[in-house]
Amino acid sequence: MMPVPLFTSWLFLTTATGAEATTSPAAADDLANMLDQAVVSTASKNGEDALTAPATTWTVTRDDLERYGMNTIADALGFLALGTQVESSSDGDEVGVRGVLVSGDYGGHMLLLIDGHAINEQWDSSAYYDRLLGLPLDSIDHIEVVLGPGSVLYGSNAMLGVVNIITRDGTGRNGVRLIFDTDPFTATRSGISVDTSTTVAGLPFKLAGSAEYYHATGPELSMGPQEYGADSVTGEPRRFTDDPVGTGIWGGTINEGRLLRVPSAYLKASLADVTLALRGSMARIGNTYTQYGNFNDPDVWQRERWLSADLSYDLTLTKAIDVAARLYADGYEYLQHLPTRAAQNCLGDQLDGCTYRLLGQARSGGLELRARADWFGTNSLTTLLGIDNRLRRVNAHEHYRDFATHETITTSDYTRTEKAVGAYLEQTVEPVTGLHVNLGARLDWDERFGQHLSPRAALALELWERGVAKLIYSEAFRAPNAYERYYADPTWWVAPDNLQPEIVRSGELAFEQSVGTERVVLGAFYSRFTDLVQESSLSTDELAAAIAEQTLVEGVEYAGQYRNVAKLDSYGVNAAWEGAAFARLLRYGVSVTCAKSAMENEEGVVTPLAVAAPYFGNAHVSYRVAETWPVLALAARVAGPRRVDASDFDPYPKTGHQVMLRASVSGTLPTLLEGALGYRLIGQYNTSTKSAYAVGPLSEPSGTYTEQETIPLDRYRITIGLTYDFNRP
Amino acid sequence: MQAALLAKVVAYDRNLDKRAGDHLQVLLIGKENEPSSERDVSQMRDALKTLPTIVGRPFEVGTLEGTDPTSLAKEALRRHAHIVYLGSGFTSADVKTFSAAVSGGDLFTAAADPNMVRDGIVLGFSLQMGKPQLIVNSQQASRQNVELAAGVLQLAKVLP
């Protein structure tokens, strides 16, 4: 059964492949080619040929993940997908699309779905693509990447694109798999997966469940020294460690550079047309080199907890009309625990230091109803209509606890209950054979910001056999998140009254050709982002007004506020080629994106977008010598020089070219244990150990500090993995 | 795509030449009063119309509706259908009954619903990893004198 799409119309997709069948080798190839055609469901919430979908889409399969030794979604996007750039920051891996990467957004400008369920949480819009995702890797069937704005069917956050992780449905393998991976001395992953499909009360029942525990500690990292100097409050050398006597110098050795513990589980069960999906995860993250907490202090940490449930029901109402209902609920909690000896990181009288704590929570639930009509039963005229009604409750609490007095001072505390409704309509028509027209729009109404309309128009013209030209216009938005909208601190921050959604408008011209096992994609794009939310300073008059209204306390000399003040233009080209040879034993692919992106800030100053590379891409090749032999695979990803984030050096610093190589050997041991024991060995080499993210308290030249220090990257990484399958068919 | 896949897979049935002459009979069976079944049959009929031939042979498409699997199976055998396609909507018990009734017959069965393969349909279609997948019930194939060549079995998920 199809994992996500509601409808089975993909089964009747038109195909230009001739039906004249024989059993010749050419016919066998023809059949294999048909079975290799990607069917995507994210761009239209309906199964369709990727070639004519109303967006440029890219699919990474579970086979790809295993073949190339991918450990996370970010790995898959960086090494195997078209148009996606991945960068490692202190908050985890960040993903950009087509030259736009918004650093520090916690994934809020991209919509992440698991089986169509939005993962971006409702407090801060966070969604992660690395281990923090909290989805067992073994639960993934394939990943669909939709490049470009996607709010037309999905609403907020789909500005850069939509990543939809489709999970296994229980039919792929039947039995239990045990999993163990290790990055020697630094990380381990243990997991179990269960798959079964059977009949219950005469109805088909499928179940797929995975659970895993990931635990990383090292490596040992060395940073600094950065001679910061005096604490701005005490005038004494700033204290960067838990030592009561400060040195004013930041840096040293971090024993557990990437402390991370992530238990996670995902379960999907379906009985006939009813599907239940449950996800739970928790992540505890050591954050021992932030300048706001004590350096190398194991008591500096963050914790995130996620829980979600999704119950869906699909029904064929009439020969022409399908309906579906989806009931969903999500819970999320973020807790930051930041002890610091630096008085300047604390409140006025907390001279011995304090523990800063920020708690953010979101609970939400909703009901999505949709109907799709295939008026002639041929997919030549279809209408999709849906409404998504969500209720959410967000709250946050921020306080500082004095080390000396243990007195706690609350600086921000809010709770809001909000309603949001989104209604969408998509009309497709094939007025003449080979011309696919897709028109759609979604109207979102949200108590947090008002209303917003997101249209999309796409034309796909089949020029010749399996050759398609596409012209796409689409818009998307990102609703201001609760933190941006409601955070307030009377000592320095004012919550905005009228924060509007960020908006992107994008045009794209693409050409896709599929010939046999080969697929080529060429595209050119232009995107304009407006109303981007940035921190802004209050003017003297605004400051006085805020004090008069008691929004700020007396004596405040500086205060900030989030505002829709920035713009961003991005344009460029992308290209990809993937294929296979020698009866598909050899597989290969390459992709490249060149883009120019520039941000215009509140003052009208235009600068290159930090971290976003002007060109990036990837290449991969793998070879399976024979069915029972190992798969040898090599993947590489490249990013061009890019501006370092959060640095005030002038001219702005850049990181150099970065090439990441990954080689893997994987397979099963058929002569031992009847083929149930699988193995993989992965080695990774990085040509650069400098990331594009500044680290430490100094962001401008100071004394002997003349070059911006950045978060270090691993030069080498090795992963060894084992799996054991019981009841393997 | 399903019609084209079916036409290609049928070509790998080594017994097709013995079973069929120079002409093929395709029978599409839907469950009565079941919208999804009706649509499957309708879409398959339309898709088959776009094919000039199946395995180089001209073909005729007939349709049949009903709820009693035994009667439907008897009718399929009576019409000497070479290829029978079942729309979705039939229960597991229905499919088992139907498959038992056509066992020993000489026909190729396929279904829109991949779950039906486990219950005795020879060929089903599914999606795995975002790509079409063939599912074959090899035991039932033997019972219906269908002998699929290795070339297609290598590309399919074969149920024992």
Side-chain angles (χ1 to χ4, degrees):
Chain A
M1 282 287 279
M2 210 160 163
V4 156
L6 301 175
F7 315 112
T8 56
S9 58
W10 73 271
L11 297 170
F12 298 97
L13 296 173
T14 55
T15 174
T17 308
E20 187 58 51
T22 67
T23 55
S24 66
D29 275 352
D30 206 17
L31 178 58
N33 292 341
M34 288 180 69
L35 296 174
D36 222 15
Q37 290 175 16
V39 177
V40 295
S41 60
T42 308
S44 297
K45 291 196 176 188
N46 184 45
E48 60 189 335
D49 189 344
L51 218 54
T52 53
T56 298
T57 64
W58 201 258
T59 301
V60 179
T61 67
R62 183 178 68 240
D63 182 55
D64 295 329
L65 298 178
E66 292 175 354
R67 182 179 287 252
Y68 295 101
M70 300 293 114
N71 290 322
T72 63
I73 303 298
D75 275 354
L77 297 180
F79 281 105
L80 303 176
L82 165 67
T84 48
Q85 178 197 351
V86 175
E87 294 288 330
S88 295
S89 80
S90 60
D91 296 318
D93 288 341
E94 297 193 318
V95 177
V97 173
R98 289 174 164 172
V100 179
L101 190 156
V102 184
S103 59
D105 75 339
Y106 302 97
H109 288 82
M110 185 114 104
L111 181 64
L112 177 61
L113 309 170
I114 296 179
D115 291 326
H117 181 110
I119 295 305
N120 299 67
E121 44 81 14
Q122 297 290 309
W123 176 63
D124 197 33
S125 304
S126 307
Y128 301 112
Y129 295 84
D130 52 16
R131 304 284 188 183
L132 291 179
L133 167 63
L135 178 73
L137 191 66
D138 198 54
S139 63
I140 298 169
D141 182 77
H142 65 283
I143 306 162
E144 288 183 22
V145 184
V146 178
L147 302 176
S151 290
V152 62
L153 298 180
Y154 295 101
S156 182
N157 300 109
M159 294 185 82
L160 304 183
V162 181
V163 173
N164 192 5
I165 302 169
I166 315 297
T167 65
R168 290 182 294 104
D169 65 357
T171 59
R173 54 177 189 248
N174 195 25
V176 176
R177 168 174 284 188
L178 300 179
I179 302 151
F180 179 76
D181 280 354
T182 181
D183 295 2
F185 313 114
T186 59
T188 57
R189 180 177 71 107
S190 315
I192 183 169
S193 285
V194 180
D195 289 72
T196 186
S197 59
T198 182
T199 302
V200 174
L203 300 171
F205 174 76
K206 293 176 288 186
L207 183 143
S210 296
E212 72 172 35
Y213 177 63
Y214 178 78
H215 182 198
T217 53
E220 194 174 271
L221 297 174
S222 180
M223 294 184 187
Q226 293 184 21
E227 294 186 28
Y228 180 84
D231 187 297
S232 62
V233 173
T234 64
E236 301 290 322
R238 182 170 164 181
R239 290 174 291 205
F240 283 108
T241 68
D242 198 34
D243 191 334
V245 180
T247 62
I249 299 173
W250 178 89
T253 300
I254 297 170
N255 305 113
E256 296 182 332
R258 298 198 182 87
L259 184 65
L260 185 59
R261 289 198 287 266
V262 189
S264 62
Y266 191 78
L267 177 81
K268 184 160 77 175
S270 65
L271 182 65
D273 298 323
V274 178
T275 301
L276 173 69
L278 301 170
R279 169 179 169 254
S281 82
M282 186 181 85
R284 186 179 164 109
I285 311 139
N287 192 5
T288 53
Y289 53 87
T290 170
Q291 58 170 304
Y292 301 109
N294 290 330
F295 187 84
N296 195 28
D297 183 346
D299 198 32
V300 178
W301 51 266
Q302 303 170 70
R303 188 187 71 202
E304 306 208 33
R305 296 198 284 202
W306 306 73
L307 200 61
S308 63
D310 198 300
L311 182 67
S312 61
Y313 175 60
D314 302 337
L315 175 68
T316 302
L317 203 60
T318 71
K319 181 182 167 186
I321 298 175
D322 291 289
V323 294
R326 190 170 73 85
L327 192 64
Y328 58 89
D330 293 275
Y332 171 74
E333 180 184 274
Y334 172 81
L335 178 62
Q336 186 178 30
H337 178 86
L338 211 63
T340 173
R341 283 281 177 189
Q344 73 175 64
N345 288 344
C346 302
L347 298 180
D349 298 330
Q350 297 173 337
L351 301 182
D352 282 340
C354 64
T355 297
Y356 169 85
R357 277 203 149 199
L358 171 64
L359 173 72
Q361 293 176 318
R363 297 176 190 85
S364 68
L367 176 66
E368 181 180 13
L369 301 171
R370 55 190 154 177
R372 181 177 184 270
D374 181 359
W375 299 108
F376 300 134
T378 57
N379 276 319
S380 59
L381 183 70
T382 69
T383 305
L384 174 68
L385 182 65
I387 186 164
D388 187 354
N389 201 334
R390 182 191 285 264
L391 183 67
R392 63 172 169 252
R393 181 181 171 87
V394 293
N395 63 279
H397 179 86
E398 180 192 66
H399 73 236
Y400 293 80
R401 188 165 189 263
D402 193 325
F403 276 171
T405 65
H406 303 298
E407 181 191 3
T408 296
I409 299 174
T410 297
T411 47
S412 184
D413 189 75
Y414 59 81
T415 300
R416 296 286 188 284
T417 301
E418 302 167 322
K419 289 178 193 164
V421 180
Y424 53 87
L425 175 67
E426 182 192 59
Q427 180 68 50
T428 71
V429 60
E430 193 176 349
V432 293
T433 303
L435 176 62
H436 305 267
V437 180
N438 185 305
L439 303 171
R442 171 168 167 139
L443 180 64
D444 280 274
W445 176 86
D446 194 316
E447 284 188 326
R448 192 178 291 174
F449 63 85
Q451 62 189 39
H452 186 79
L453 183 70
S454 307
R456 178 177 70 186
L459 299 178
L461 177 62
E462 294 180 41
L463 301 171
W464 45 75
E465 186 173 328
R466 306 292 294 163
V468 176
K470 294 181 186 179
L471 183 63
I472 303 161
Y473 173 80
S474 54
E475 294 186 13
F477 75 101
R478 183 183 71 88
N481 62 48
Y483 186 85
E484 293 166 336
R485 177 65 186 83
Y486 302 123
Y487 177 74
D489 180 337
T491 64
W492 78 294
W493 197 263
V494 177
D497 289 331
N498 187 29
L499 200 60
Q500 294 298 301
E502 297 179 333
I503 298 165
V504 58
R505 298 177 175 88
S506 184
E508 179 182 350
L509 181 62
F511 171 74
E512 298 187 26
Q513 177 72 57
S514 181
V515 179
T517 57
E518 312 300 305
R519 181 189 176 203
V520 174
V521 179
L522 302 170
F525 52 87
Y526 171 78
S527 298
R528 182 163 178 77
F529 297 72
T530 55
D531 291 328
L532 295 179
V533 175
Q534 281 194 339
E535 294 182 16
S536 182
S537 303
L538 267 63
S539 67
T540 308
D541 290 346
E542 290 168 335
L543 205 59
I547 292 171
E549 291 167 3
Q550 297 185 325
T551 308
L552 295 173
V553 296
E554 287 285 348
V556 171
E557 295 175 355
Y558 167 85
Q561 185 177 52
Y562 284 115
R563 292 179 179 168
N564 300 100
V565 292
K567 298 171 187 166
L568 171 62
D569 282 302
S570 175
Y571 58 90
V573 294
N574 57 20
W577 171 37
E578 66 173 358
F582 306 128
R584 289 174 170 71
L585 296 174
L586 178 71
R587 288 182 177 268
Y588 44 82
V590 60
S591 82
V592 62
T593 299
C594 299
K596 187 174 173 68
S597 303
M599 173 86 85
E600 181 183 335
N601 70 9
E602 187 177 11
E603 289 83 31
V605 178
V606 178
T607 54
L609 190 61
V611 188
Y615 53 89
F616 58 92
N618 53 46
H620 55 271
V621 60
S622 66
Y623 187 60
R624 180 190 290 272
V625 182
E627 188 60 34
T628 55
W629 284 49
V631 176
L632 310 175
L634 184 65
R637 71 182 214 218
V638 181
R642 53 239 186 262
R643 182 183 165 189
V644 171
D645 182 48
S647 174
D648 296 323
F649 275 65
D650 186 17
Y652 52 78
K654 281 186 171 183
T655 58
H657 288 85
Q658 185 178 12
V659 179
M660 204 176 278
L661 296 169
R662 182 171 295 192
S664 71
V665 179
S666 59
T668 54
L669 297 173
T671 54
L672 300 172
L673 305 173
E674 298 177 350
L677 182 64
Y679 62 89
R680 61 181 196 146
L681 175 63
I682 303 159
Q684 179 174 296
Y685 174 74
N686 202 339
T687 59
S688 172
T689 56
K690 291 185 176 180
S691 74
Y693 297 89
V695 68
L698 292 181
S699 59
E700 56 190 24
S702 174
T704 58
Y705 185 73
T706 56
E707 184 182 346
Q708 180 66 63
E709 183 175 4
T710 59
I711 294 171
L713 301 173
D714 295 338
R715 176 76 74 182
Y716 306 97
R717 184 178 293 178
I718 290 174
T719 303
I720 301 164
L722 294 172
T723 58
Y724 191 86
D725 286 306
F726 295 93
N727 305 323
R728 188 173 176 174
Chain B
M1 184 180 281
Q2 198 173 109
L5 285 172
L6 175 61
K8 286 188 182 299
V9 173
V10 166
Y12 287 85
D13 178 7
R14 290 186 172 129
N15 292 334
L16 185 70
D17 286 340
K18 283 185 261 177
R19 172 184 317 137
D22 54 4
H23 193 268
L24 283 175
Q25 290 285 344
V26 181
L27 182 62
L28 311 179
I29 299 179
K31 185 162 186 178
E32 205 168 0
N33 298 321
E34 184 68 48
S36 61
S37 200
E38 189 184 351
R39 178 169 52 198
D40 289 341
V41 167
S42 169
Q43 290 188 331
M44 178 56 93
R45 186 179 55 221
D46 291 343
L48 287 171
K49 280 180 190 170
T50 66
L51 306 183
T53 61
I54 295 177
V55 204
R57 295 169 170 84
F59 61 94
E60 281 178 13
V61 179
T63 57
L64 188 60
E65 266 200 346
T67 54
D68 176 24
T70 306
S71 303
L72 291 169
K74 281 182 181 172
E75 182 63 15
L77 294 171
R78 190 191 68 76
R79 293 192 191 187
H80 301 292
H82 305 112
I83 301 170
V84 170
Y85 175 86
L86 248 62
S88 52
F90 290 98
T91 66
S92 176
D94 288 342
V95 177
K96 283 176 180 166
T97 305
F98 179 89
S99 299
V102 297
S103 289
D106 208 3
L107 78 171
F108 190 108
T109 51
D113 183 349
N115 295 304
M116 291 182 179
V117 179
R118 189 176 43 232
D119 295 323
I121 297 298
V122 172
L123 175 69
F125 307 94
S126 179
L127 271 184
Q128 276 292 318
M129 294 187 278
K131 294 176 180 175
Q133 183 188 42
L134 304 174
I135 306 175
V136 172
N137 185 325
S138 57
Q139 281 192 6
Q140 187 67 23
S142 301
R143 290 187 195 114
Q144 293 173 203
N145 298 315
V146 172
E147 188 184 349
L148 289 172
V152 75
L153 294 177
Q154 284 173 356
L155 299 171
K157 176 181 177 181
V158 181
L159 303 186

